[in-house]
Amino acid sequence: MKPLIRIASGQGFWGDLLTAPMAQVSNGPIDYLVMDYLAEVTMSILQKQKNRDPRMGYARDLVLLMRDLLPACIEKNIRIITNGGGVNPIACSDAICEMAGSLGVRALKVGVVLGDDILDRIDDLQKDGHALKNMETGEPLDNIRGRIQSANAYFGAGPIVEALRQGAQIVITGRTTDTGLTLAPMMYEFGWKHDDWDKLAAGTVAGHILECGGQASGGNFMADWRSVPDLAHLGFPIAEAYPNGDIVLTKHESLGGMVTLQTVKEQLLYEIGNPREYITPDCVADFTTIRLAQEGRDRVRMTGVKGRPATEFYKVSMSYLDGYTAFGTLTYSWPEALQKAQKADEILRIRLKDLGVKFDEVRTEYLGVNSSHGHLAPMNSDYNEVVMRVGVRGRDREAVERFGMELAPLILTGPPSVTGFAGGRPRPSEVISYWPALITKNAVRHEVITRTL
Amino acid sequence: MKVQLLRICHGRSGDKGDTANIGLIAREEKFYPLIERVVTADRVKEYFGAMVLGPVERFELPNLWALNFLLHNALGGGGTKSLKNDAQGKTLAAALLRMEIDVPEGMMDGHV
């Protein structure tokens, strides 16, 4: 058994810093590179792409990154784990294999995790008694049945561990939890059992710290953003994992950023919900048991994490169409910037009312004044400039489109000294809402395929 | 004396659907019992007023000198449905750090 393994975060979301993964590979020793691509909104975008072209539906960025990553990772024996397969992991692995072939790579073993996509099985599952009702509101699935765009169960680390055991150097999954990507190599390397709850919880918490990339190593750092060295070359976090479940959070010395108690704590609390019950398919982690200690520069040791048994359910996330939105902005300058923006909003609303177009919501915010903090923000007496941002939402696409035609006319038919309309008319975009549900684990089977190039 | 939370705490916020999640962390261990006593769920609910339509829940993490708040129905529907510029509540931790609390005399000695 290795005395320790180093797991490096390469991407924290689809759209993250593209230079980060290669920086992790080039600037110091790592054993695994994990790249998290999937948020709920990402799944629905990928599903739309797959509907248009059955060869699409995965993070294309990933394939482009592989051009540099593959040769370097093969040379250094670094394994890559990613959920960038989105709603089409097979097509993703095809594209990566094609890329590898064009680079002259030989004997590459790629593992693919399948089975999380249950879109085509919903009717059968319902017939078998799986209600898939909304786990937050209790509403029946029939309320949205015809509008569902994607439906995926969240897998944990298990299927990735299988792929690693089969010798996969790259593991591509669909909807796997962000935390499972990081936990899997620890289970595989150290032989952690599926019911060793404390160790699984430690690996899960490490996964939570890594899942947002640079946000754990100095990015978006509230405590003291000025003190973070060289954010331009921010080094993403690395989890140094030990067989006993200890984890040291660190980063490559030659890159920017920093790993301190404060940077780690901010990420630990990010979107955790109830800290005593951080539920994943692998375990239930208790964040109130975490012990942190700064043991050196850019080295934070995490110990003591307690876990409880996993639940018998997978979480399922479905996306469904829920109307349309459009947004537009206009910029008003001094003098009386805010008053003029408010007048423009008033005029706009009268015109929309005259047209008889109806919306579920019209919201106007004044950027630079109080769009972020509302009534908590103290008001100035005379702003230099104010951006009026108007958004509308409704089921009627034509009404939302009509709104987009009413913004530009305000420039010549409303209050003066207004600018910032270079982007053209606001276009309607689809609202994708989420339907969280639970399903018993035995109703969803994962499948692991390994292919050798 | 009145002290803005920003001086003694830091934090981070984000979303879970239409629920905003705000982590509030004491900068030093000595400030944790103070914020645990003073920054209650009720006080945070009252502070945000009309910005939060649902209840506010609070969880304590003394091991991290931290409190975690869930502000329900606070993001205009959440996700792609929300019309807010800050649809994910990313700036709400900063909004909470604007809060002023009473700090006992002497506790801020040596702090700028």
Side-chain angles (χ1 to χ4, degrees):
Chain A
M1 191 192 298
K2 291 177 186 163
L4 66 95
I5 54 169
R6 294 187 182 87
I7 304 162
S9 162
Q11 296 275 275
F13 66 101
W14 189 23
D16 206 352
L17 192 66
L18 289 171
T19 51
M22 200 55 202
Q24 293 287 55
V25 169
S26 314
N27 285 278
I30 62 169
D31 302 292
Y32 289 85
L33 181 68
V34 295
M35 295 194 276
D36 174 34
Y37 282 98
L38 301 183
E40 284 170 334
V41 69
T42 315
M43 295 301 281
S44 61
I45 294 168
L46 292 172
Q47 185 65 48
K48 260 191 226 171
Q49 294 181 353
K50 187 184 175 189
N51 292 346
R52 279 197 295 267
D53 181 345
R55 291 166 305 174
M56 303 299 283
Y58 57 89
R60 288 283 302 165
D61 284 3
L62 181 58
V63 180
L64 301 175
L65 288 173
M66 286 294 174
R67 193 193 310 264
D68 293 330
L69 282 176
L70 262 184
C73 287
I74 289 168
E75 188 206 323
K76 297 181 178 192
N77 198 23
I78 296 167
R79 290 178 166 191
I80 299 173
I81 303 173
T82 178
N83 57 15
V87 296
N88 205 349
I90 285 285
C92 182
S93 78
D94 287 346
I96 287 172
C97 287
E98 195 182 323
M99 164 72 75
S102 73
L103 295 170
V105 171
R106 293 280 173 272
L108 178 72
K109 212 166 193 184
V110 179
V112 185
V113 175
L114 301 169
D116 62 296
D117 189 340
I118 59 166
L119 184 61
D120 296 334
R121 294 182 55 210
I122 293 174
D123 290 335
D124 290 340
L125 287 167
Q126 284 198 291
K127 268 182 217 139
D128 291 345
H130 301 282
L132 298 170
K133 61 178 196 275
N134 188 306
M135 64 186 272
E136 282 163 15
T137 64
E139 289 171 86
L141 187 64
D142 288 348
N143 288 9
I144 60 151
R145 182 64 189 92
R147 292 185 277 151
I148 296 173
Q149 297 296 294
S150 64
N152 296 77
Y154 286 69
F155 286 158
I160 300 171
V161 175
E162 277 180 41
L164 293 172
R165 282 198 189 121
Q166 291 175 26
Q169 292 151 282
I170 300 176
V171 184
I172 297 158
T173 79
R175 183 69 268 198
T176 291
T177 55
D178 318 346
T179 54
L181 305 177
T182 297
L183 172 61
M186 301 183 202
M187 293 175 73
Y188 166 69
E189 295 277 0
F190 304 141
W192 291 353
K193 300 286 183 290
H194 78 278
D195 60 353
D196 199 344
W197 306 118
D198 291 345
K199 290 195 180 79
L200 300 192
T204 297
V205 175
H208 178 85
I209 294 169
L210 258 53
E211 76 186 24
C212 292
Q215 209 178 217
S217 51
N220 191 22
F221 180 51
M222 182 89 83
D224 189 6
W225 60 272
R226 280 192 183 85
S227 68
V228 182
D230 196 14
L231 273 172
H233 305 102
L234 179 61
F236 278 31
I238 294 170
E240 218 176 75
Y242 293 83
N244 69 351
D246 280 14
I247 310 279
V248 173
L249 286 320
T250 184
K251 68 168 198 69
H252 287 319
E253 198 183 340
S254 56
L255 296 172
M258 61 190 200
V259 179
T260 67
L261 291 173
Q262 288 185 323
T263 67
V264 172
K265 282 182 185 181
E266 286 193 15
Q267 178 55 23
L268 275 174
L269 288 162
Y270 184 63
E271 296 177 351
I272 53 167
N274 180 347
R276 291 184 182 278
E277 284 185 0
Y278 185 90
I279 301 172
T280 74
D282 303 302
C283 64
V284 177
D286 183 349
F287 279 50
T288 67
T289 59
I290 297 167
R291 297 269 168 269
L292 298 178
Q294 186 94 41
E295 63 168 34
R297 190 180 163 188
D298 295 322
R299 290 181 66 82
V300 170
R301 183 174 289 266
M302 181 173 80
T303 56
V305 185
K306 295 284 179 205
R308 296 195 298 279
T311 75
E312 59 182 305
F313 300 103
Y314 282 129
K315 186 179 171 183
V316 171
S317 180
M318 300 189 219
S319 63
Y320 63 98
L321 294 182
D322 202 11
Y324 302 88
T325 54
F327 299 93
T329 58
L330 289 175
T331 303
Y332 289 86
S333 88
W334 184 92
E336 300 171 302
L338 179 58
Q339 291 77 0
K340 289 185 295 191
Q342 287 169 328
K343 187 68 185 175
D345 175 53
E346 185 189 318
I347 295 165
L348 175 66
R349 285 171 188 258
I350 292 170
R351 288 178 182 167
L352 291 172
K353 198 177 164 208
D354 290 349
L355 286 165
V357 286
K358 299 247 180 334
F359 305 100
D360 293 336
E361 188 185 355
V362 179
R363 184 184 182 92
T364 308
E365 294 183 329
Y366 300 100
L367 277 57
V369 179
N370 59 3
S371 76
S372 296
H373 293 176
H375 69 275
L376 301 169
M379 301 292 282
N380 292 353
S381 57
D382 198 5
Y383 292 92
N384 285 308
E385 58 197 28
V386 168
V387 177
M388 175 183 75
R389 180 180 188 271
V390 189
V392 299
R393 187 184 69 246
R395 289 288 172 91
D396 180 358
R397 191 181 192 283
E398 279 179 28
V400 173
E401 194 162 28
R402 191 70 185 79
F403 153 79
M405 300 171 188
E406 290 301 314
L407 220 58
L410 283 167
I411 297 171
L412 302 188
T413 66
S417 62
V418 52
T419 185
F421 198 73
R425 283 175 176 164
R427 305 280 306 160
S429 56
E430 286 172 338
V431 174
I432 309 290
S433 287
Y434 297 94
W435 187 273
L438 294 174
I439 193 163
T440 47
K441 282 179 175 166
N442 58 22
V444 186
R445 276 208 196 87
H446 70 262
E447 189 185 350
V448 177
I449 298 172
T450 46
R451 326 158 97 179
T452 305
L453 184 72
Chain B
M1 63 189 288
K2 292 269 183 210
V3 171
Q4 200 165 37
L5 278 180
L6 179 64
R7 281 180 70 192
I8 62 169
C9 293
H10 58 119
R12 177 169 291 173
S13 54
D15 68 321
K16 273 275 181 262
D18 197 23
T19 298
N21 187 128
I22 306 180
L24 181 72
I25 308 158
R27 288 178 186 269
E28 291 178 37
E29 192 168 12
K30 70 175 181 180
F31 295 123
Y32 177 74
L34 176 70
I35 61 168
E36 192 193 78
R37 190 172 72 244
V38 175
V39 191
T40 61
D42 286 347
R43 178 145 180 204
V44 170
K45 168 75 181 159
E46 191 190 334
Y47 176 74
F48 280 103
M51 293 169 73
V52 180
L53 303 178
V56 170
E57 287 183 273
R58 190 187 89 164
F59 302 94
E60 297 84 32
L61 298 97
N63 54 322
L64 303 178
W65 313 340
L67 301 171
N68 196 49
F69 295 92
L70 296 182
L71 282 51
H72 295 282
N73 307 108
L75 299 173
T80 61
K81 194 172 184 177
S82 176
L83 299 181
K84 291 167 75 80
N85 186 47
D86 186 15
Q88 295 174 303
K90 298 270 186 188
T91 67
L92 290 178
L96 181 57
L97 292 172
R98 302 184 91 118
M99 181 189 273
E100 286 196 330
I101 65 166
D102 281 311
V103 174
E105 290 299 329
M107 207 174 197
M108 298 302 293
D109 289 356
H111 293 266
V112 282

